Amino acid sequence: MAAETSKDPWKTREVRFANLNESRDAVNDPDFLESFFKGWSTTLDAVDASPQLARCCTKFARDVANQGNGVNVLMIGETGAGKSLLVEVMTGDDGVRVCATSAGTVKEERFTTESRLNFVDTPGFKLPLSPEEASLENISWWTRQRDQFTWSRWIAKISSMITSCDLKKRPLVVLYCHRGSSRIIPQRMLEIFKIPHHAEVPLIVALTDVCSVDDEALKAQKSSLQGIITDLGPNISGHNATLIAVNSEEKTVRGHKYKTTGVKELTE
């Protein structure tokens, strides 16, 4: 693992791993996030020492970065998007799949690594069609109302988790998983993406199971998701959401063997 050693708290640090095993070792290394916590604390010390920011209270920010709470990574996405599998592959913990059934994760589960990265695996949901799309596909009024009600509850739940005052649960990163073969509904995805993005919580969009579609379909999926991220735009700090294509495990599809890809880049 190679990382910058600059002590400048405002300087971006980059971490690169040679392979998946090295990234797993880092995730399970108690010292992996040490520089993050120290950098956060140093930055807040600088804020406290600045005359121009004398009225700025940093207590909440310090509490958020409390090492005892760790760094919560909220996993969200549709049912079958591969959230549990991705956590298993990133951590190397075979026990992660215990919480998942053939129907998907049925309750919220929390997996804590030695580095204090806490993966919060949530049950999947169904993206409803936008009102315009539902009308074009002749979806009944009753079905549209039911789907909208269910969707509103999911939006409220995700918003509540991201803005939670319980710092042991509040996420510092949101990882949205979308299966390569699943339909993209831009309006609904934007509704979800705006919640962490406007709260300045880093958003990573993982396009999973990329070997399930052919090259042309995959290219179209990437283009559509990147278009949504472009529409989302930068947050007030000037940062954009990140799109990463992932194949979580080795598999053979149509006679071609696909390797695990994209997982170490997520950790980086």
Side-chain angles (χ1 to χ4, degrees):
M1 179 176 66
E4 296 184 12
T5 57
S6 170
K7 295 183 179 180
D8 179 0
W10 304 105
K11 186 175 182 63
T12 301
R13 289 168 173 77
E14 295 183 356
V15 177
R16 292 290 180 264
F17 301 111
N19 50 52
L20 177 58
N21 287 333
E22 193 173 275
S23 71
R24 284 175 173 170
D25 289 342
V27 165
N28 291 290
D29 182 349
D31 297 326
F32 179 49
L33 294 175
E34 197 67 29
S35 63
F36 165 77
F37 290 117
K38 287 183 178 178
W40 187 302
S41 179
T42 300
T43 299
L44 294 177
D45 288 344
V47 171
D48 287 339
S50 172
Q52 291 82 2
L53 300 174
R55 300 178 64 182
C56 180
C57 178
T58 60
K59 182 181 183 305
F60 182 77
R62 290 186 187 278
D63 289 343
V64 169
N66 185 304
Q67 293 192 40
N69 296 330
V71 173
N72 296 325
V73 181
L74 180 62
M75 310 287 294
I76 58 176
E78 291 185 89
T79 300
K83 299 183 294 296
S84 299
L85 175 59
L86 191 53
V87 174
E88 177 195 355
V89 175
M90 290 178 72
T91 62
D93 183 355
D94 295 336
V96 174
R97 286 207 207 187
V98 173
C99 77
T101 67
S102 58
T105 300
V106 295
K107 65 178 181 177
E108 183 180 309
E109 297 282 353
R110 184 183 182 93
F111 301 95
T112 299
T113 67
E114 291 294 324
S115 65
R116 300 186 300 282
L117 267 176
N118 308 310
F119 292 93
V120 183
D121 190 14
T122 61
F125 48 75
K126 177 185 177 182
L127 285 176
L129 295 175
S130 67
E132 295 76 18
E133 290 171 313
S135 178
L136 289 173
E137 297 194 12
N138 295 317
I139 305 298
S140 71
W141 177 88
W142 168 250
T143 300
R144 293 201 303 269
Q145 294 301 307
R146 180 200 62 194
D147 289 349
Q148 183 58 43
F149 174 75
T150 303
W151 180 242
S152 296
R153 292 185 64 183
W154 269 112
I155 289 293
K157 180 178 181 179
I158 294 170
S159 180
S160 175
M161 294 177 75
I162 290 174
T163 59
S164 174
C165 292
D166 185 346
L167 300 181
K168 291 185 178 180
K169 296 182 178 180
R170 189 185 182 111
L172 292 184
V173 180
V174 171
L175 181 54
Y176 182 91
C177 296
H178 179 81
R179 190 180 180 88
S181 57
S182 296
R183 181 174 183 174
I184 290 176
I185 305 177
Q187 179 179 328
R188 300 307 189 187
M189 289 183 169
L190 268 175
E191 289 179 44
I192 293 181
F193 293 176
K194 286 179 179 178
I195 299 172
H197 203 57
H198 290 174
E200 292 198 84
V201 175
L203 170 65
I204 301 172
V205 180
L207 179 59
T208 63
D209 199 21
V210 294
C211 65
S212 64
V213 294
D214 60 34
D215 291 345
E216 285 300 314
L218 177 59
K219 183 178 178 180
Q221 288 280 69
K222 287 181 177 179
S223 178
S224 295
L225 288 173
Q226 192 59 59
I228 296 172
I229 290 174
T230 298
D231 291 341
L232 182 65
N235 61 19
I236 59 176
S237 295
H239 299 296
N240 292 295
T242 302
L243 173 63
I244 298 178
V246 177
N247 189 46
S248 299
E249 60 182 351
E250 289 188 2
K251 61 177 64 175
T252 300
V253 180
R254 298 183 293 275
H256 183 79
K257 188 174 182 178
Y258 291 86
K259 295 182 178 181
T260 299
T261 57
V263 178
K264 77 178 185 68
E265 286 78 10
L266 279 175
T267 307
E268 292 172 348

